[in-house]
Amino acid sequence: QVQLVESGGGLVQAGDSLRLSCAASGFTFGSAAMGWFRQAPGKEHDFVAAISWSGSTDYSDSVKGRFTISRDNGKNTVFLQMNSLKPEDTAIYYCARKSGGFRPGYNRMSGLYDYWGQGTQVTVSS
């Protein structure tokens, strides 16, 4: 069965960095588009970043220039490098597999992702 397992979250101070990982199994990872979303308390899932099977990327405006999504198809893992963290980045971060592939304009729609991990908490103190 499809499994997505996130790791790497934690408590950091504003300006620090974190690297999240998402280990995937149960499907052909190398041909799948993947994404990262986050959910703050009382809010909806917000798009963070997406990556195609070949490495094309898409970012939300709020993280562009600070976060980098990447993948290692040989290790079935997608990463989210988060630099210059801000208190407003505090959320549970989820990785997800996108159905239908990487499509600019559609990558940000959470309903188009069919499998989700359990999430990892990121807390940024001021």
Side-chain angles (χ1 to χ4, degrees):
Q1 72 277 20
V2 173
Q3 282 194 314
L4 299 171
V5 180
E6 302 95 335
S7 62
L11 171 62
V12 297
Q13 293 187 329
D16 285 351
S17 298
L18 275 176
R19 189 193 197 203
L20 305 184
S21 299
C22 172
S25 61
F27 63 101
T28 306
F29 178 80
S31 61
M34 301 294 296
W36 285 97
F37 286 76
R38 64 188 181 186
Q39 187 174 28
K43 295 191 175 182
E44 301 288 325
H45 281 93
D46 287 334
F47 171 76
V48 175
I51 187 167
S52 72
W53 67 271
S54 61
S56 298
T57 58
D58 188 11
Y59 296 95
S60 71
D61 290 343
S62 62
V63 307
K64 194 175 296 182
R66 298 189 298 124
F67 291 11
T68 302
I69 188 171
S70 62
R71 66 191 296 159
D72 184 336
N73 288 340
K75 295 183 177 179
N76 287 5
T77 303
V78 60
F79 304 99
L80 185 68
Q81 177 67 42
M82 306 185 295
N83 298 331
S84 303
L85 282 161
K86 305 175 181 179
E88 51 263 45
D89 294 320
T90 294
I92 300 174
Y93 283 71
Y94 299 89
C95 75
R97 187 185 77 168
K98 188 175 181 300
S99 61
F102 185 86
R103 296 179 63 192
Y106 292 86
N107 297 324
R108 304 171 182 226
M109 300 171 66
S110 61
L112 296 182
Y113 290 77
D114 53 5
Y115 289 96
W116 295 74
Q118 82 290 348
T120 186
Q121 176 71 49
V122 172
T123 304
V124 185
S125 64
S126 57

